[in-house]
Amino acid sequence: MPQLPAPAYPAEVRARLEEDAKEVIARYPDSRSALLPLLHLVQSEEGYVSRTGMALCAELLGLTTAEVTAVATFYSMYRRRPSGDYQVGVCTNTLCAVMGGDAIFDRLKQHLGVGNNETTEDGKVTLEHIECNAACDFAPVVMVNWEFFDNQTPESATQLVDDLIAGRTVEPTRGAPLCSYKETARILAGFPDQRPGAVEATGGAGPASLVGLRLARGEEPHPKVVAPRGEAARAEAPQDRPQPGAEHLSSHAHPSPDHRPSTSPSGTPNTSQQTSASDPDHPAGPAAEEGE
């Protein structure tokens, strides 16, 4: 059904948003490029992107409300209805799901009494499932206002939401200290995080994320992230099987003098064993014909 025009912001709110919007728009040579941060800006005001917020973005950027709506409905980080102070996202993509993400999501739905994209009655927590948090090496992962809580269990996730509702301090596994969803939206709009020590606390990749890089550099492997098998399992393994941590050059590593492609009896290089580094015409590695 046709809707009435979106209500206007109160005068003082509009003046404040316009002042912030001018700062955002000035960062871009083409004002249209400022739409994404402006949507975060209006989301920081109401906790979601309202029709009023989209109308303001359209007016300031010289766009139609249809153009703004198309963008706001495409990205999942923009909420289309009022939501909680804390957005609790449970990864239910393949790896997190099999590691326990589905069980965590089901437990939280039951514990909080809400479904997907629903908010608790006190307005504290909005629960949602997320397709991927880009943290598979710490599965299963839960995010609160886009900060990481790694290696979760149904029990730890339940304690997490209870602490959020009770107002207790909650520390992310990695990243900056937790803040409200509105404060997070303002940071995503490009305004600095003014909290003391917040920027320094962002940190970097965790140990599990760097294991492959360390091995590729030939460094000593990091202590095992996954617990090793028992002695009985080791005893059953063939003795000639490469042991964990043994040097293994991938097909994308530069060949050393002692690691060259083998040759056929005629002296022609065996292309099936060429590395990408030894075949400059095919930098991604040899490609076999279909069926070979």
Side-chain angles (χ1 to χ4, degrees):
M1 295 293 292
Q3 291 181 309
L4 294 173
Y9 282 121
E12 66 278 7
V13 174
R14 180 184 173 93
R16 175 164 41 80
L17 290 175
E18 284 184 347
E19 189 67 24
D20 288 339
K22 288 179 183 178
E23 181 179 337
V24 172
I25 295 171
R27 302 172 191 159
Y28 301 92
D30 183 351
S31 62
R32 186 188 183 105
S33 300
L35 177 55
L36 295 181
L38 282 190
L39 286 171
H40 283 299
L41 177 63
V42 297
Q43 186 160 252
S44 72
E45 183 64 34
E46 301 178 85
Y48 73 110
V49 177
S50 65
R51 293 171 55 236
T52 302
M54 287 190 286
L56 178 63
C57 291
E59 179 184 340
L60 295 177
L61 298 177
L63 302 173
T64 66
T65 54
E67 289 174 312
V68 175
T69 302
V71 174
T73 56
F74 181 82
Y75 294 101
S76 61
M77 291 179 72
Y78 300 123
R79 309 302 180 192
R80 296 301 313 284
R81 57 186 179 185
S83 55
D85 295 333
Y86 299 101
Q87 302 281 331
V88 176
V90 181
C91 185
T92 56
N93 212 334
T94 306
L95 183 57
C96 277
V98 300
M99 294 292 287
D102 283 344
I104 291 173
F105 189 56
D106 290 341
R107 174 73 68 85
L108 292 184
K109 285 193 294 184
Q110 180 181 12
H111 182 70
L112 296 173
V114 298
N116 184 43
N117 282 326
E118 293 182 356
T119 304
T120 55
E121 292 184 1
D122 58 10
K124 290 287 188 180
V125 171
T126 296
L127 179 66
E128 65 173 344
H129 77 81
I130 297 178
E131 283 302 314
C132 184
N133 280 330
C136 302
D137 39 2
F138 297 100
V141 174
V142 173
M143 294 194 87
V144 180
N145 295 349
W146 311 116
E147 300 294 350
F148 286 101
F149 291 81
D150 302 324
N151 302 311
Q152 293 293 296
T153 65
E155 293 73 25
S156 66
T158 300
Q159 183 62 53
L160 170 61
V161 297
D162 284 347
D163 289 342
L164 293 173
I165 292 173
R168 291 187 283 268
T169 301
V170 173
E171 295 291 340
T173 310
R174 294 173 286 135
L178 205 60
C179 59
S180 73
Y181 188 63
K182 289 182 179 180
E183 292 171 320
T184 301
R186 184 171 176 81
I187 295 170
L188 291 174
F191 293 93
D193 190 340
Q194 302 289 353
R195 296 174 297 160
V199 175
E200 293 76 11
T202 54
S209 305
L210 301 176
V211 171
L213 178 62
R214 291 170 61 87
L215 290 173
R217 290 175 173 173
E219 300 174 5
E220 288 296 323
H222 192 276
K224 288 182 177 294
V225 177
V226 179
R229 297 182 180 182
E231 295 298 327
R234 291 196 187 92
E236 295 173 4
Q239 295 301 314
D240 57 349
R241 179 177 297 172
Q243 296 301 310
E247 182 181 6
H248 174 71
L249 293 175
S250 73
S251 61
H252 296 283
H254 291 287
S256 65
D258 297 327
H259 184 75
R260 297 188 177 93
S262 64
T263 58
S264 65
S266 63
T268 303
N270 185 343
T271 57
S272 65
Q273 297 185 26
Q274 283 185 311
T275 65
S276 59
S278 66
D279 189 3
D281 293 331
H282 300 86
E289 294 293 331
E290 184 175 355
E292 292 187 5

